[in-house]
Amino acid sequence: AQRVTQPEKLLSVFKGAPVELKCNYSYSGSPELFWYVQYSRQRLQLLLRHISRESIKGFTADLNKGETSFHLKKPFAQEEDSAMYYCALGYSSASKIIFGSGTRLSIRP
Amino acid sequence: NAGVTQTPKFRVLKTGQSMTLLCAQDMNHEYMYWYRQDPGMGLRLIHYSVGEGTTAKGEVPDGYNVSRLKKQNFLLGLESAAPSQTSVYFCSSRPGTSGNYEQYFGPGTRLTVT
């Protein structure tokens, strides 16, 4: 069955330190992968999608099909990065999109 | 554009009562989704729709029904609410065009079933 796993419920790092939020997926076909972010009192919004290979707010994510991973990385964390991050998998021609359990990122000053 | 709106924002129900949550979007999007968000479990897909008049089951469809009679609206119904349905419900929509998979989310509806 299709699944998205985010093993860390909470990740706390100091400002300026590197950040890596882990995401593993289970899907036998060609996945569409995304990272969504939810800042305090705001709506969920798209951060990154693997197909566009872009860097948003200093974050990048690379799809590793061999390891079935799509980890989110940022070299230097900033306080405004504190938020809830969700990894998502689109399949069935991306009509169906499921999410992981989320990781709360807390940046300490 | 208002984007994706959800009605109501908050609701308290007694066990066994019924209610309908309304999701509306003004972006002419084909696809719409209903999720529930619970602590430690993230967002779980309840039902989704790939176009007007169509609906399909997601990961956790039991106890819910949906309808998409108009392209801009996606209704989520609870026929007989249970405490296990206490959650925050999110609706989202996205274009149906190939390659554009960004979902736009509503603000959420906080539902408590006592």
Side-chain angles (χ1 to χ4, degrees):
Chain A
Q2 293 75 24
R3 183 175 295 175
V4 178
T5 303
Q6 294 180 251
E8 304 131 334
K9 281 188 167 44
L10 172 65
L11 186 63
S12 182
V13 302
F14 284 105
K15 178 181 171 182
V19 171
E20 182 179 46
L21 285 77
K22 291 185 168 45
C23 172
N24 288 89
Y25 67 91
S26 174
Y27 179 52
S28 56
S30 289
E32 298 289 344
L33 286 153
F34 313 86
W35 277 99
Y36 279 80
V37 60
Q38 188 175 27
Y39 299 105
S40 179
R41 301 189 209 286
Q42 293 188 27
R43 304 182 186 206
L44 269 148
Q45 56 187 280
L46 180 68
L47 180 63
L48 282 177
R49 71 196 91 179
H50 91 272
I51 199 167
S52 59
R53 294 179 158 271
E54 57 199 342
S55 172
I56 302 289
K57 299 184 179 183
F59 284 99
T60 59
D62 289 318
L63 175 59
N64 185 323
K65 289 189 177 181
E67 295 183 358
T68 60
S69 68
F70 188 56
H71 302 328
L72 184 67
K73 299 177 185 178
K74 184 169 182 176
F76 307 104
Q78 297 172 314
E79 288 187 63
E80 54 265 32
D81 296 329
S82 293
M84 193 75 177
Y85 291 79
Y86 290 97
C87 183
L89 166 70
Y91 60 99
S92 296
S93 302
S95 60
K96 215 163 178 176
I97 302 177
I98 61 173
F99 285 74
S101 55
T103 297
R104 181 166 298 283
L105 178 63
S106 174
I107 309 300
R108 291 176 282 177
Chain B
N1 286 352
V4 179
T5 58
Q6 292 183 232
T7 309
K9 288 187 169 51
F10 305 94
R11 185 73 186 268
V12 178
L13 285 180
K14 287 186 166 44
T15 297
Q17 287 185 318
S18 64
M19 78 162 293
T20 300
L21 282 68
L22 170 63
C23 176
Q25 52 95 4
D26 60 3
M27 297 173 281
N28 201 35
H29 285 170
E30 290 293 331
Y31 291 11
M32 296 187 74
Y33 303 81
W34 275 108
Y35 294 89
R36 58 178 289 173
Q37 184 185 47
D38 301 291
M41 306 190 77
L43 278 82
R44 291 181 291 168
L45 180 63
I46 305 171
H47 286 282
Y48 64 104
S49 167
V50 299
E52 181 179 312
T54 74
T55 62
K57 292 181 181 179
E59 302 171 279
V60 288
D62 294 341
Y64 305 95
N65 56 72
V66 288
S67 64
R68 183 104 181 264
L69 298 178
K70 292 183 179 180
K71 187 177 184 179
Q72 63 267 36
N73 295 337
F74 195 29
L75 279 65
L76 178 71
L78 286 72
E79 287 188 351
S80 179
S84 60
Q85 293 177 304
T86 293
S87 188
V88 180
Y89 291 85
F90 286 98
C91 174
S92 70
S93 71
R94 72 167 180 90
T97 51
S98 178
N100 189 350
Y101 303 128
E102 179 176 358
Q103 287 178 291
Y104 295 80
F105 281 84
T109 294
R110 186 173 294 276
L111 175 66
T112 301
V113 183
T114 61

